[in-house]
Amino acid sequence: MSATNGLAESPAEEVNPARWGTFAAAEPSLARSVEERFGAFTHHVLATLRKDGSPRTTGLEVRFLRGELWLGMMPDSLKALDLRRDPRFALQANPGPGTAMGGGDVRISGRAVEVGDGAAKAAYVKEVEPPEPFHLFRTELTEVVRTYVEDDTYLVVQVWTPGEPVRTLRRT
Protein backbone atom coordinates (compact mmCIF):
# COMPACT_ATOMS: atom_id res chain seq x y z
CA MET A 1 0.00 0.00 0.00
CA SER A 2 1.16 3.47 -0.77
CA ALA A 3 1.53 5.68 2.26
CA THR A 4 0.21 8.68 0.37
CA ASN A 5 -3.06 7.42 -1.06
CA GLY A 6 -3.82 4.02 0.51
CA LEU A 7 -3.82 2.29 -2.90
CA ALA A 8 -1.69 -0.70 -3.80
CA GLU A 9 1.30 0.05 -5.99
CA SER A 10 1.12 -1.17 -9.58
CA PRO A 11 2.13 -4.81 -10.14
CA ALA A 12 5.14 -3.66 -12.18
CA GLU A 13 6.55 -2.02 -9.05
CA GLU A 14 5.95 -5.06 -6.84
CA VAL A 15 7.80 -7.70 -8.84
CA ASN A 16 11.52 -8.32 -8.89
CA PRO A 17 12.59 -7.67 -12.47
CA ALA A 18 14.20 -10.35 -14.64
CA ARG A 19 16.62 -10.12 -17.52
CA TRP A 20 15.64 -11.26 -21.00
CA GLY A 21 17.60 -14.51 -20.74
CA THR A 22 15.76 -15.46 -17.55
CA PHE A 23 12.42 -14.87 -19.26
CA ALA A 24 13.50 -16.76 -22.41
CA ALA A 25 14.64 -19.76 -20.34
CA ALA A 26 11.39 -19.80 -18.34
CA GLU A 27 9.02 -19.28 -21.29
CA PRO A 28 10.86 -20.12 -24.53
CA SER A 29 7.78 -20.26 -26.76
CA LEU A 30 6.47 -16.85 -25.71
CA ALA A 31 9.98 -15.37 -25.83
CA ARG A 32 10.41 -16.62 -29.41
CA SER A 33 7.06 -15.08 -30.40
CA VAL A 34 8.05 -11.76 -28.84
CA GLU A 35 11.46 -11.71 -30.53
CA GLU A 36 9.89 -12.55 -33.89
CA ARG A 37 7.35 -9.77 -33.44
CA PHE A 38 10.06 -7.21 -32.66
CA GLY A 39 12.22 -8.62 -35.47
CA ALA A 40 9.50 -8.06 -38.07
CA PHE A 41 10.14 -4.29 -38.11
CA THR A 42 13.05 -2.02 -37.25
CA HIS A 43 11.33 0.79 -35.34
CA HIS A 44 9.17 0.39 -32.23
CA VAL A 45 7.62 2.70 -29.63
CA LEU A 46 9.22 3.38 -26.26
CA ALA A 47 7.28 5.05 -23.45
CA THR A 48 9.23 6.81 -20.70
CA LEU A 49 8.31 9.25 -17.95
CA ARG A 50 9.02 12.97 -18.21
CA LYS A 51 10.20 15.06 -15.24
CA ASP A 52 6.59 15.91 -14.37
CA GLY A 53 5.56 12.24 -14.50
CA SER A 54 3.61 12.48 -17.75
CA PRO A 55 4.31 9.90 -20.45
CA ARG A 56 6.60 10.44 -23.43
CA THR A 57 6.54 8.13 -26.45
CA THR A 58 9.34 7.97 -28.98
CA GLY A 59 10.59 5.70 -31.72
CA LEU A 60 13.39 3.26 -30.96
CA GLU A 61 15.34 0.33 -32.38
CA VAL A 62 15.91 -2.62 -30.05
CA ARG A 63 18.30 -5.59 -30.07
CA PHE A 64 18.12 -9.03 -28.51
CA LEU A 65 21.75 -10.07 -28.01
CA ARG A 66 23.54 -12.44 -25.63
CA GLY A 67 20.50 -13.03 -23.42
CA GLU A 68 19.66 -9.35 -23.06
CA LEU A 69 17.17 -6.90 -24.52
CA TRP A 70 19.14 -3.73 -25.34
CA LEU A 71 17.94 -0.17 -25.90
CA GLY A 72 20.39 2.11 -27.68
CA MET A 73 19.81 5.82 -28.19
CA MET A 74 21.44 9.05 -29.24
CA PRO A 75 23.48 10.99 -26.68
CA ASP A 76 21.40 13.22 -24.42
CA SER A 77 18.16 12.32 -26.22
CA LEU A 78 15.07 13.08 -24.14
CA LYS A 79 14.25 9.37 -23.79
CA ALA A 80 17.78 8.66 -22.49
CA LEU A 81 17.52 11.51 -20.00
CA ASP A 82 14.08 10.24 -18.95
CA LEU A 83 15.48 6.75 -18.30
CA ARG A 84 18.44 8.11 -16.36
CA ARG A 85 16.02 9.96 -14.09
CA ASP A 86 13.36 7.23 -13.85
CA PRO A 87 14.25 3.83 -15.33
CA ARG A 88 10.68 2.61 -15.83
CA PHE A 89 9.64 2.03 -19.43
CA ALA A 90 7.10 0.33 -21.67
CA LEU A 91 8.06 -0.91 -25.12
CA GLN A 92 5.48 -1.61 -27.82
CA ALA A 93 6.36 -3.65 -30.91
CA ASN A 94 5.59 -1.95 -34.21
CA PRO A 95 2.17 -3.28 -35.27
CA GLY A 96 3.06 -3.05 -38.95
CA PRO A 97 0.90 -1.94 -41.84
CA GLY A 98 -2.87 -2.38 -41.95
CA THR A 99 -4.81 -4.20 -39.28
CA ALA A 100 -3.45 -7.76 -39.60
CA MET A 101 -0.77 -7.53 -36.87
CA GLY A 102 0.79 -10.87 -37.78
CA GLY A 103 2.13 -12.46 -34.62
CA GLY A 104 -0.10 -10.35 -32.42
CA ASP A 105 0.43 -7.23 -30.37
CA VAL A 106 3.47 -7.35 -28.06
CA ARG A 107 4.63 -5.09 -25.27
CA ILE A 108 7.31 -5.25 -22.61
CA SER A 109 7.50 -3.27 -19.39
CA GLY A 110 10.37 -2.93 -16.98
CA ARG A 111 13.35 -0.88 -15.96
CA ALA A 112 16.31 0.25 -18.06
CA VAL A 113 19.81 0.14 -16.58
CA GLU A 114 22.44 2.26 -18.32
CA VAL A 115 25.60 0.43 -19.32
CA GLY A 116 28.89 2.36 -19.13
CA ASP A 117 32.06 1.90 -21.14
CA GLY A 118 32.72 -1.70 -20.12
CA ALA A 119 32.99 -5.09 -21.78
CA ALA A 120 29.22 -5.32 -22.37
CA LYS A 121 29.13 -2.02 -24.24
CA ALA A 122 32.25 -2.95 -26.24
CA ALA A 123 30.66 -6.26 -27.27
CA TYR A 124 27.47 -4.42 -28.28
CA VAL A 125 29.48 -1.94 -30.37
CA LYS A 126 31.36 -4.77 -32.09
CA GLU A 127 28.15 -6.60 -32.98
CA VAL A 128 25.79 -3.71 -33.78
CA GLU A 129 28.19 -0.95 -34.93
CA PRO A 130 25.99 1.93 -33.72
CA PRO A 131 26.88 5.55 -34.43
CA GLU A 132 28.92 6.84 -31.52
CA PRO A 133 28.61 8.29 -28.98
CA PHE A 134 25.40 6.71 -27.72
CA HIS A 135 23.58 5.62 -24.57
CA LEU A 136 23.10 1.90 -24.02
CA PHE A 137 20.57 0.45 -21.61
CA ARG A 138 19.99 -3.19 -20.71
CA THR A 139 16.49 -4.05 -19.62
CA GLU A 140 15.07 -5.68 -16.52
CA LEU A 141 11.59 -6.99 -17.28
CA THR A 142 8.58 -6.65 -15.03
CA GLU A 143 5.97 -7.78 -17.57
CA VAL A 144 5.70 -9.24 -21.08
CA VAL A 145 2.29 -9.27 -22.81
CA ARG A 146 1.23 -10.77 -26.14
CA THR A 147 -2.31 -10.28 -27.45
CA TYR A 148 -3.61 -12.02 -30.56
CA VAL A 149 -6.74 -13.41 -32.17
CA GLU A 150 -7.16 -17.20 -32.25
CA ASP A 151 -9.40 -18.98 -34.77
CA ASP A 152 -11.16 -15.69 -35.59
CA THR A 153 -13.06 -16.29 -32.35
CA TYR A 154 -10.98 -15.57 -29.27
CA LEU A 155 -8.93 -12.64 -28.14
CA VAL A 156 -6.00 -14.31 -26.37
CA VAL A 157 -3.84 -12.42 -23.89
CA GLN A 158 -0.65 -14.00 -22.57
CA VAL A 159 0.88 -12.26 -19.55
CA TRP A 160 4.23 -13.11 -17.97
CA THR A 161 5.71 -11.58 -14.84
CA PRO A 162 8.98 -12.69 -13.20
CA GLY A 163 8.67 -15.76 -11.02
CA GLU A 164 5.25 -16.71 -12.38
CA PRO A 165 4.14 -18.94 -15.23
CA VAL A 166 2.43 -17.35 -18.23
CA ARG A 167 -1.22 -16.56 -17.59
CA THR A 168 -3.41 -17.01 -20.63
CA LEU A 169 -6.80 -15.32 -20.85
CA ARG A 170 -9.29 -15.99 -23.67
CA ARG A 171 -12.24 -13.73 -24.43
CA THR A 172 -14.93 -14.01 -27.08
Side-chain angles (χ1 to χ4, degrees):
M1 293 275 224
S2 170
T4 57
N5 62 14
L7 300 175
E9 297 295 324
S10 72
E13 294 175 332
E14 293 174 2
V15 299
N16 290 321
R19 291 168 109 155
W20 182 261
T22 302
F23 163 62
E27 299 293 343
S29 177
L30 180 57
R32 236 182 342 273
S33 296
V34 170
E35 283 191 44
E36 288 172 3
R37 197 63 198 89
F38 275 97
F41 298 94
T42 302
H43 296 96
H44 307 286
V45 178
L46 176 71
T48 58
L49 296 169
R50 300 171 191 256
K51 285 181 190 178
D52 66 2
S54 64
R56 179 192 318 272
T57 59
T58 54
L60 180 77
E61 294 180 29
V62 302
R63 299 273 197 249
F64 295 90
L65 301 170
R66 298 177 317 279
E68 301 283 3
L69 169 56
W70 300 97
L71 312 176
M73 49 201 79
M74 293 172 37
D76 298 322
S77 62
L78 293 176
K79 59 191 159 198
L81 298 176
D82 287 347
L83 290 173
R84 281 180 156 179
R85 186 180 48 262
D86 186 329
R88 293 176 293 171
F89 73 90
L91 181 64
Q92 180 82 37
N94 184 328
T99 59
M101 287 200 335
D105 179 58
V106 174
R107 69 180 184 274
I108 298 169
S109 299
R111 296 183 191 102
V113 178
E114 189 163 15
V115 175
D117 291 327
K121 190 168 185 179
Y124 182 89
V125 167
K126 184 176 181 179
E127 200 158 339
V128 177
E129 299 179 0
E132 294 196 52
F134 70 102
H135 294 285
L136 181 63
F137 294 85
R138 107 178 132 64
T139 60
E140 297 179 342
L141 314 178
T142 55
E143 183 179 66
V144 177
V145 179
R146 178 178 176 232
T147 305
Y148 61 97
V149 176
E150 182 178 81
D151 299 330
D152 290 326
T153 304
Y154 299 100
L155 178 68
V156 180
V157 181
Q158 296 174 295
V159 180
W160 176 85
T161 55
E164 299 292 329
V166 171
R167 288 181 297 130
T168 301
L169 309 144
R170 283 184 172 77
R171 293 177 36 183
T172 55

